[in-house]
Amino acid sequence: MGEQAVVLKQSVNNLVGYGRVISQEHESYKAKTGKDMFKLKMLIETKDGDKVNNHFVEKSTPVGNKIHKGLLTVVNEYKKGDLIRVSGNVTVNEWFKEDVINSMVKLETTFFTRIEQDKVESTKELMEAKVEMVITGIDPELDIDGLPTGNLLVSGMSVGYNNRINPFENLIVDKKIAKPFENLYTVGQTGVLNLRFHNYAVVKEEETADITLGFGEDNEQISTSTAKSYERKIEVFGGSQPITDGTEYTPEDIENMERFHKLALQISRDNAKKKQDGAKKSAPQAGFGQEVGQAKVEAPVDFLDDDDDMPNW
């Protein structure tokens, strides 16, 4: 008799967000299985104090089912500025490019709901989730000088459908609740963490270098330039007590989680290498003289959103 397949308990993973529609795009495509698919991707704006956050949420589904019909309703009826509720789950995508692992948190949406006008003012526009996970690391956050900020950086692993492992890294526990968290949790324990997603633009003014005036008058008002980057972080703002009722992940479960994750990474690395090798083989061979510019052929990756200028959540 063969070895019994290991099936891990799927973790609690509930995403709920409220925000304004900024833009949306959709596409029809064919899956690797040959099935016709439809994808809706939406940019949603939330507000956390004086910070304006941008989040991409998306949903893919086979053409013709009830979810597809619901997504078409969203495409046709939801307008820019509408306040909506999204619900779904949080996953972590990992992929290899030039043998370097990349990862990104992805907000996968199951339902879109437009908020009624009489409830708009009382709705907090935030993107949050409850995710059950095994704590795999608790470390102090350090500033650029190597000094502790008082915040904690937490890592953990959760289990998705079909033993998919989602490794969360650098979850920030604010110093205000860092001590209670440390008093409750140790590495290896299971708990449900309340997560809040932040993704906002940071604009810095930089002094421009002095330029010797060559003719005419100088413009005294133009002395600075601006540089924009995105601050992206996941905040742990609360959570449950460590789970000890028998539903927590056991040491054997954690070992299997690590094994499944390692196997998934190896498969991803192998697939990336095959694509890169295939791209190199298909590249035209030089016949004479020099190539045009510095163009090089890179293997395509099965990933839509690896744009550093606009993170995905």
Side-chain angles (χ1 to χ4, degrees), residues 21 29 34 39 41 48-49 86 92 129 142 149 161 173 179 203 206 260 273 284 289 303:
V21 176
Y29 65 98
K39 175 188 281 188
K41 184 177 178 182
D48 184 12
V86 297
V92 179
L142 304 178
T149 64
Y161 175 72
V173 180
K179 200 63 180 176
V203 179
E206 300 176 345
F260 289 142
K273 190 174 186 307
F303 207 77

Side-chain angles (χ1 to χ4, degrees), residues 102-227:
N102 298 268
S103 67
M104 184 180 70
V105 173
K106 186 176 180 182
L107 308 181
E108 297 187 345
T109 305
T110 305
F111 298 105
F112 296 83
T113 308
R114 194 158 37 188
I115 303 301
E116 296 177 5
Q117 193 61 38
D118 60 345
K119 296 179 180 179
V120 168
E121 287 190 11
S122 61
T123 301
K124 292 183 178 180
E125 299 178 24
L126 298 168
M127 189 69 67
E128 299 176 339
K130 287 182 176 289
V131 181
E132 179 184 15
M133 65 182 72
V134 172
I135 304 301
T136 58
I138 304 173
D139 298 291
E141 181 187 54
L142 304 178
D143 61 19
I144 58 175
D145 297 318
L147 300 175
T149 64
N151 300 335
L152 295 175
L153 296 179
V154 174
S155 55
M157 290 190 297
S158 73
V159 182
Y161 175 72
N162 199 26
N163 288 340
R164 171 176 176 163
I165 307 302
N166 295 301
F168 291 90
E169 301 287 342
N170 296 322
L171 306 178
I172 298 177
V173 180
D174 189 87
K175 57 187 175 184
K176 294 177 182 178
I177 59 172
K179 200 63 180 176
F181 183 89
E182 283 187 301
N183 290 339
L184 278 175
Y185 280 98
T186 58
V187 170
Q189 289 187 298
T190 304
V192 177
L193 303 187
N194 299 336
L195 308 179
R196 183 171 296 148
F197 300 90
H198 303 269
N199 181 29
Y200 53 88
V202 177
V203 179
K204 295 181 180 179
E205 288 194 350
E206 300 176 345
E207 292 293 332
T208 57
D210 290 335
I211 300 174
T212 303
L213 187 65
F215 63 94
E217 297 180 3
D218 199 0
N219 189 325
E220 300 294 339
Q221 299 181 36
I222 303 176
S223 59
T224 61
S225 63
T226 58

Side-chain angles (χ1 to χ4, degrees), residues 7 19 26-27 31 36 61 83 97 108 117 133 158 175 184 220 230 256 280 287 289 291:
V7 179
H26 61 274
E27 64 171 331
D36 291 326
T61 190
L83 180 62
K97 188 171 183 179
E108 297 187 345
Q117 193 61 38
M133 65 182 72
S158 73
K175 57 187 175 184
L184 278 175
E220 300 294 339
Y230 282 88
N256 282 318
K280 287 179 180 178
E291 283 286 359

